[in-house]
Amino acid sequence: MTYCVGMMLDRGLVLMSDTRTNAGVDNISTFRKMFTWEAPGERVLTVMTAGNLATTQALVSILDERTKAPEEREPSILSAPSMFQVARLVAGTLKDVISTHAETGQRADSAFNATVILGGQIRGAPPRLFLIYPEGNFIEAGEETPFFQIGETKYGRPILVRAYDRGMSFEEAVKLLLVSFDSTVKANLSVGLPFDLQVIGRDALGVTHQHRIQADDPYFLTISSGWGEALKAAMDSLPDFTF
Amino acid sequence: MTYCVGMMLDRGLVLMSDTRTNAGVDNISTFRKMFTWEAPGERVLTVMTAGNLATTQALVSILDERTKAPEEREPSILSAPSMFQVARLVAGTLKDVISTHAETGQRADSAFNATVILGGQIRGAPPRLFLIYPEGNFIEAGEETPFFQIGETKYGRPILVRAYDRGMSFEEAVKLLLVSFDSTVKANLSVGLPFDLQVIGRDALGVTHQHRIQADDPYFLTISSGWGEALKAAMDSLPDFTF
């Protein structure tokens, strides 16, 4: 499993992904699930992936190769004219990779599936955030649904739904994401540290902050241990039930 | 889907279940999922069910019929000598009901499955809490795992893990359960009000409190609306991240 969240704020995009992959509980590894392509001052594109690792690695490799030999292949994500066209390219590539393996060789029910969050900005247009399905279609974040989760989404969702505010600072957003990730890690062995964190400021047209949060990161440990007490205080602040 | 929680406290058992059943999002109904058999002063047994409604209704009807004609049928749950034997009876009956439908007629992958929480106390022994699987086996709550959830368990789990304390009062436990249920209702359409609440005090050997919480219950509305603010205050109480 996996846990990734992409969040649209007034100030820009905040993205976080875990790094655990597993085939059974006795075969776990650490792999990066966040990939960025930049043309500084012109565009920045970040992809986060959940699902079959062979599929997501193939997707990222194909997208990356095209950026390096654009004349040989269909339009690369670095030359697509809009974020919508970038999303179409990623989605079409994802669908192709999945169908290549799904239609030949051994059958494995949906085992080749993957889901992708794409965020970024191209000069002259606002930042945009997409959720891309294995079927090759996608949806875009809007006013009512300003963040996307992929992978093991349920444990960490209630806090996002309650505490998200699109006017929040990047620092507040990181704190919120760490609480959401910590709740997930505590409940599901297939989500694990380190976490990759990226901030793409509005109109920065490049990566504003990039940081890997290790399991012994002092700030993460403060949040993880402090959240239990904070929750108990929050419970105490509500009126008691009476029979 | 469904959401039920059974919780073991020092003071006794607290049980809560939702009442929504659905076959698709366009076919929802309200059904009770909490059933109690009492021999006041001697024993109290409560079952909560999740899964196929035909299976769980058959299970409860069979258990109930046996209590009314014990001489005609194998031992009833009202005459079993221990909570362990009650759990064996419920588990065996559940397995029988499922296999009756699973082995004949149309095939429906695991669609006849159901899971059960059984809690109660028999005079001379402490209260006990069991989680019964569709395969007919079961586990018992212990010091390390003092509560069980069935149905849509993920959204409401982080708050239980963080705030549960076996020394808490029944009133605090109800507050905690309502927060957990509210988080679930806000995320999953297949879990819905009203909720059934039951308290079985240690050595009461009967139902101590029984209450149905409707969607317009003033206390529930206070918790539901207050929890968002309480969470934001909890977030604010943690130190901010710095890049």
Side-chain angles (χ1 to χ4, degrees), chain A residues 9 11-14 168-174 199-201, chain B residues 243:
Chain A
L9 304 177
R11 293 171 164 84
L13 293 162
V14 185
M168 71 202 315
S169 68
F170 289 138
E171 288 80 1
E172 288 171 319
V174 172
V199 172
I200 299 176
Chain B
F243 288 101

Side-chain angles (χ1 to χ4, degrees), chain A residues 82-190:
Chain A
S82 68
M83 282 301 297
F84 176 74
Q85 294 297 338
V86 172
R88 285 187 64 175
L89 270 173
V90 174
T93 308
L94 176 61
K95 186 182 172 186
D96 287 349
V97 170
I98 293 171
S99 65
T100 300
H101 296 285
E103 290 167 8
T104 60
Q106 298 201 15
R107 304 291 308 175
D109 273 354
S110 77
F112 303 121
N113 275 358
T115 310
V116 169
I117 291 174
L118 164 70
Q121 184 176 14
I122 295 176
R123 192 170 56 209
R128 295 171 75 176
L129 183 67
F130 297 89
L131 175 62
I132 301 173
Y133 297 106
E135 290 79 6
N137 55 2
F138 52 86
I139 59 175
E140 182 174 0
E143 289 285 329
E144 296 86 1
T145 303
F147 60 84
F148 288 131
Q149 304 168 282
I150 54 176
E152 176 54 84
T153 62
K154 293 187 177 183
Y155 299 108
R157 186 170 180 82
I159 183 68
L160 292 182
V161 170
R162 293 286 199 167
Y164 169 89
D165 174 2
R166 61 180 304 136
M168 71 202 315
S169 68
F170 289 138
E171 288 80 1
E172 288 171 319
V174 172
K175 180 160 68 173
L176 172 57
L177 285 171
L178 282 179
V179 170
S180 176
F181 272 68
D182 183 51
S183 296
T184 308
V185 166
K186 282 200 162 43
N188 190 323
L189 291 175
S190 72

Side-chain angles (χ1 to χ4, degrees), chain A residues 152 154-155 157-159 162 170-171 174-176 179 182-183 186 197 199 209 211 219 222-224 226-228 230-232 234-241 243, chain B residues 152 154-155 157-159 162 170-171 174-176 179 182-183 186 197 199 209 211 219 222-224 226-228 230-232 234-241 243:
Chain A
E152 176 54 84
K154 293 187 177 183
Y155 299 108
R157 186 170 180 82
I159 183 68
R162 293 286 199 167
F170 289 138
E171 288 80 1
V174 172
K175 180 160 68 173
L176 172 57
V179 170
D182 183 51
S183 296
K186 282 200 162 43
L197 161 67
V199 172
H209 297 289
H211 184 54
Y219 181 72
T222 303
I223 296 296
S224 181
W227 184 238
L231 270 185
K232 282 181 190 167
M235 291 289 302
D236 288 344
S237 75
L238 295 176
D240 277 337
F241 182 76
F243 288 102
Chain B
E152 176 54 84
K154 294 187 178 183
Y155 299 109
R157 187 169 180 82
I159 184 68
R162 293 285 201 169
F170 289 138
E171 288 80 1
V174 172
K175 179 160 70 172
L176 172 57
V179 169
D182 182 52
S183 297
K186 282 201 162 44
L197 162 66
V199 172
H209 296 289
H211 184 54
Y219 181 71
T222 303
I223 295 296
S224 181
W227 185 238
L231 270 186
K232 283 181 190 168
M235 290 290 301
D236 288 344
S237 75
L238 295 176
D240 278 336
F241 183 74
F243 288 101

